Amino acid sequence: MAFINPTILQLHSNIEEEEVKKIKEAMPNIKLIRLIHVSSDGKIITDYKNMKYVDYYLLDSFNLK
């Protein structure tokens, strides 16, 4: 990571909050983006209320089928 020197990191899939905490602690100056899955009818699928270590949310469509 230090080689490319990013300022923002987008996390994909269902990463446990404890793992996200480790990332944030290891790279405190990097902003984190977390995905929020939204169904085609507008229902939020992701349990975003328990995401503690996030700087930005990215809403992403999700097909339940």
Side-chain angles (χ1 to χ4, degrees):
M1 277 301 221
F3 179 73
I4 59 173
N5 202 19
T7 57
I8 299 175
L9 183 63
Q10 180 176 332
L11 303 177
H12 290 270
S13 76
N14 295 325
I15 300 173
E16 295 294 325
E17 200 62 20
E18 191 60 33
E19 295 302 311
V20 177
K21 179 182 177 184
K22 290 177 187 177
I23 293 169
K24 193 66 171 173
E25 288 173 348
M27 298 179 285
N29 295 324
I30 293 180
K31 301 292 185 186
L32 296 180
I33 299 173
R34 300 288 305 268
L35 289 177
I36 304 289
H37 288 117
V38 181
S39 68
S40 59
D41 65 354
K43 181 180 177 188
I44 295 176
I45 306 296
T46 305
D47 183 13
Y48 67 92
K49 293 178 183 176
N50 292 322
M51 292 181 178
K52 299 175 188 173
Y53 309 100
V54 62
D55 298 292
Y56 306 102
Y57 295 108
L58 175 65
L59 300 178
D60 192 16
S61 60
F62 183 76
N63 187 344
L64 294 173
K65 297 176 185 176

